Amino acid sequence: MSTVRTRIAPSPTGDPHVGTAYIALFNYCFAKQHGGEFILRIEDTDQLRSTRESEQQIFDALRWLGIEWNEGPDVGGPHGPYRQSERGQIYQRYVQQLVDAGHAFPCFCTAEELEQMRAEQQARGETPRYDGRALLLSADEVQRRLAAGEPHVIRMKVPSEGVCIVPDLLRGDVEIPWDRMDMQVLMKADGLPTYFLANVVDDHLMGITHVLRGEEWLPSAPKLIKLYEYFGWEQPKLCYMPLLRNPDKSKLSKRKNPTSVTFYERMGFLPEAMLNYLGRMGWSMPDEREKFSLADMVEHFDLSRVSLGGPIFDIEKLSWLNGQWLRELPVEQFAERARQWAFNNDYLMRIAPHVQGRVETFSQIAPLAGFFFQGGVQPDPALFAHKKLNADQVRQMMQWILWKLEALRTWEKDRITACIQQVAEALGLKLRDAMPLMFAAITGQANSVSVLDAMEILGPDLTRYRLRQALELLGGVSKRENKEWEKLFAAL
Ligand code: GLU
């Protein structure tokens, strides 16, 4: 039997998501339990949204958790490159193979044509989909248009009837009707592959034997299966993991729960507790014990103990588990781990320059700058009373600033300042008019060290968390307000 090889294939388009860590953990455990290998591949074909910063954050977050990979963009390996953006030629070659074999075809439709097709289908009460019109073109015409360099995409053919059987390791055979599948674009007009093509080609070339991925990918599985068939490749074993959910059962989203691994790091959770908790999502140890290490999980891992009910990611439960871990550390370890978290020289050296000029004794440091060592803060709601804005406008301003900061990718004081200034000016105010609100939300106090510096030092996760908390404290944002403000915000 060939070696088990699994992978995590994140798209580096934002903060490192706990869902990525969860899927990585299960792939890791599965591989290690079988004495196999775990690979990290970066799926960065979306050039607009992918960034190197986000990629680095994914590496850091997984390493912080203690998940290491045998092959990947930063560690190399025999099947590289491990970044899809560096594999362009490979996809070109394989898509051509599909076209030559008649499994895929060029489509010259313009955006307007597709839009019209869609509108007409909707008017007839049909599900919008590509109608296959390019298949009616004669071979000569296709050749002529290709030779003339007309912009085109490559689409795959899909059966129009029958069902596709998706063999899922958790659910058994899942039947999905072919008429739900569109003639998926495999290669875009700019010559870049879509997820479907790149994912199948890479899993094959990288020798992946088992794919554990999130359940949200199950509905599109037939397209992947068809591609394996067209290429004549053996399909890896498939496993669709249950999605993490908010306590209200909706899909885990950052509106309701912080979803970035780095947030949990900054809040002072232990990586081993975090991993333990992610392992508890939909899986349990044979003896049902709550607290277990990564090594325990690898040793006892078994897909038959994964349950399909959507596991709920609940910060309170995570905190409880973290408490178990913390209390069981030898006290020297406890002190050492706390030191590593925020009582370390680097962090103190970032804070010291802002504190030194404002104290007369060391004993004044904690009251002035204690918020640097907190997760949330508890500002007095009275601190949000504003000279020029009413209570609703205050919330609107804070929400806008939060949205701006959520989109900010480079976390530097100047950029943070620019975000706040832009919002203030959009509301006919000055930067300084926004400052008292920021002070209250971020430091929890009426005054302290410079709040813009404090935001930079605290980092994006805690800054955004505190702004969200302040909004909650002020009564939250209704659905209607959210919609209204979003519209106005988009026009900024
Ligand atoms: N790039 C996809 C993602 O970000 C990979 C999904 C898969 O595992 O196939 O989730």
Side-chain angles (χ1 to χ4, degrees):
M1 228 194 86
S2 58
T3 319
V4 167
R5 286 171 59 87
T6 65
R7 48 60 164 189
I8 182 78
S11 298
T13 54
D15 296 333
H17 201 279
V18 288
T20 302
Y22 158 71
I23 299 291
L25 169 65
F26 280 76
N27 275 285
Y28 176 90
C29 288
F30 186 84
K32 296 297 149 185
Q33 218 234 350
H34 290 88
E37 280 142 12
F38 171 65
I39 285 97
L40 174 75
R41 177 174 76 232
I42 290 291
E43 299 210 328
D44 55 351
T45 53
D46 183 341
Q47 281 192 312
L48 282 179
R49 295 174 58 229
S50 301
T51 66
R52 280 297 168 98
E53 290 79 29
S54 164
E55 177 185 302
Q56 187 59 47
Q57 284 186 322
I58 292 170
F59 298 164
D60 294 346
L62 291 177
R63 289 220 167 87
W64 175 70
L65 286 167
I67 297 179
E68 294 282 343
W69 41 100
N70 298 92
E71 298 166 28
D74 56 338
V75 298
H79 303 276
Y82 293 90
R83 239 180 234 114
Q84 291 187 329
S85 58
E86 294 164 12
R87 299 172 63 81
Q89 305 257 311
I90 300 176
Y91 309 125
Q92 294 277 359
R93 199 161 69 235
Y94 282 100
V95 86
Q96 192 56 47
Q97 192 176 316
L98 292 179
V99 173
D100 293 344
H103 298 311
F105 58 93
C107 157
F108 301 91
C109 280
T110 60
E112 294 74 47
E113 233 174 311
L114 291 173
E115 191 36 56
Q116 196 190 346
M117 189 188 305
R118 167 185 229 4
E120 285 170 8
Q121 288 167 332
Q122 271 171 337
R124 290 196 297 269
E126 297 167 10
T127 318
R129 69 176 64 228
Y130 180 69
D131 63 6
R133 62 182 63 177
L135 291 167
L136 304 174
L137 303 176
S138 71
D140 285 349
E141 174 159 17
V142 171
Q143 279 320 315
R144 186 184 57 71
R145 291 172 79 166
L146 287 177
E150 249 187 69
H152 62 278
V153 302
I154 305 288
R155 291 180 184 272
M156 71 184 280
K157 289 188 188 167
V158 289
S160 52
E161 49 194 39
V163 293
C164 175
I165 303 212
V166 185
D168 176 16
L169 291 177
L170 295 178
R171 296 165 188 76
D173 287 350
V174 179
E175 293 191 1
I176 302 182
W178 276 113
D179 65 9
R180 277 194 214 151
M181 297 302 129
D182 207 348
M183 296 184 203
Q184 177 65 46
V185 173
L186 297 178
M187 183 150 293
K188 296 175 275 183
D190 56 9
L192 287 175
T194 58
Y195 160 76
F196 297 91
L197 177 69
N199 191 272
V200 165
V201 167
D202 288 349
D203 279 347
H204 174 71
L205 295 180
M206 295 181 181
I208 302 301
T209 58
H210 295 74
V211 172
L212 281 64
R213 57 161 76 88
E215 189 175 26
E216 74 267 38
W217 298 97
L218 183 53
S220 62
K223 296 187 232 183
L224 299 181
I225 290 178
K226 203 53 163 178
L227 284 174
Y228 280 104
E229 191 187 307
Y230 285 162
F231 281 120
W233 293 338
E234 192 188 335
Q235 178 184 306
K237 298 269 176 293
L238 303 173
C239 174
Y240 290 88
M241 292 294 297
L243 284 186
L244 302 184
R245 298 186 182 275
N246 294 309
D248 67 3
K249 298 264 170 132
S250 56
K251 180 178 161 190
L252 188 67
S253 65
K254 63 179 174 203
R255 285 238 164 133
K256 301 202 173 129
N257 255 326
T259 52
S260 172
V261 174
T262 51
F263 167 80
Y264 294 93
E265 182 179 0
R266 292 291 287 125
M267 283 298 277
F269 285 90
L270 289 172
E272 48 271 57
M274 189 78 196
L275 260 195
N276 183 173
Y277 191 63
L278 290 174
R280 293 275 299 117
M281 297 284 99
W283 187 78
S284 56
M285 285 288 266
D287 62 3
E288 304 276 335
R289 90 184 104 117
E290 295 268 2
K291 183 171 177 265
F292 52 82
S293 68
L294 180 58
D296 295 333
M297 185 165 169
V298 167
E299 188 184 336
H300 296 282
F301 190 68
D302 178 359
L303 277 181
S304 72
R305 296 195 62 83
V306 171
S307 72
L308 287 175
I312 290 179
F313 187 89
D314 179 345
I315 299 195
E316 277 176 37
K317 283 237 179 74
L318 168 62
S319 297
W320 172 83
L321 190 59
N322 199 63
Q324 305 285 313
W325 277 89
L326 274 186
R327 286 192 286 272
E328 286 177 28
L329 288 175
V331 69
E332 298 78 18
Q333 270 285 325
F334 175 81
E336 172 57 20
R337 298 292 291 270
R339 199 183 62 74
Q340 285 170 8
W341 169 65
F343 300 100
N344 60 64
N345 214 41
D346 284 351
Y347 196 54
L348 294 181
M349 270 311 291
R350 298 192 65 193
I351 297 165
H354 306 287
V355 171
Q356 192 178 9
R358 295 174 202 257
V359 294
E360 290 167 340
T361 61
F362 293 139
S363 57
Q364 288 168 347
I365 296 175
L368 180 74
F371 69 88
F372 281 111
F373 303 89
Q374 283 172 253
V377 289
Q378 281 82 39
D380 176 352
L383 292 176
F384 295 93
H386 199 276
K387 283 202 298 279
K388 299 182 185 164
L389 300 176
N390 67 30
D392 289 347
Q393 292 167 321
V394 163
R395 282 182 307 115
Q396 182 182 349
M397 179 179 220
M398 306 237 311
Q399 178 65 75
W400 278 7
I401 292 174
L402 176 57
W403 282 336
K404 274 264 172 231
L405 294 178
E406 277 174 349
L408 185 62
R409 295 261 51 103
T410 310
W411 196 258
E412 285 165 0
K413 182 182 171 186
D414 290 349
R415 306 219 185 191
I416 299 167
T417 310
C419 289
I420 301 173
Q421 182 155 13
Q422 247 185 338
V423 169
E425 284 171 5
L427 293 168
L429 300 174
K430 298 231 159 57
L431 174 65
R432 71 170 128 71
D433 294 311
M435 285 329 222
L437 300 177
M438 293 297 109
F439 252 111
I442 304 302
T443 72
Q445 300 159 209
N447 49 56
S448 177
V449 302
S450 142
V451 70
L452 292 167
D453 287 299
M455 289 166 101
E456 185 185 65
I457 295 168
L458 280 165
D461 294 299
L462 291 186
T463 298
R464 294 171 196 155
Y465 176 64
R466 291 181 191 184
L467 284 172
R468 256 179 249 124
Q469 279 207 317
L471 273 164
E472 284 307 310
L473 178 74
L474 299 176
V477 175
S478 71
K479 279 220 173 86
R480 188 182 52 77
E481 286 171 329
N482 194 69
K483 237 172 131 185
E484 216 170 89
W485 295 348
E486 224 162 25
K487 231 199 252 150
L488 295 167
F489 180 75
L492 281 194

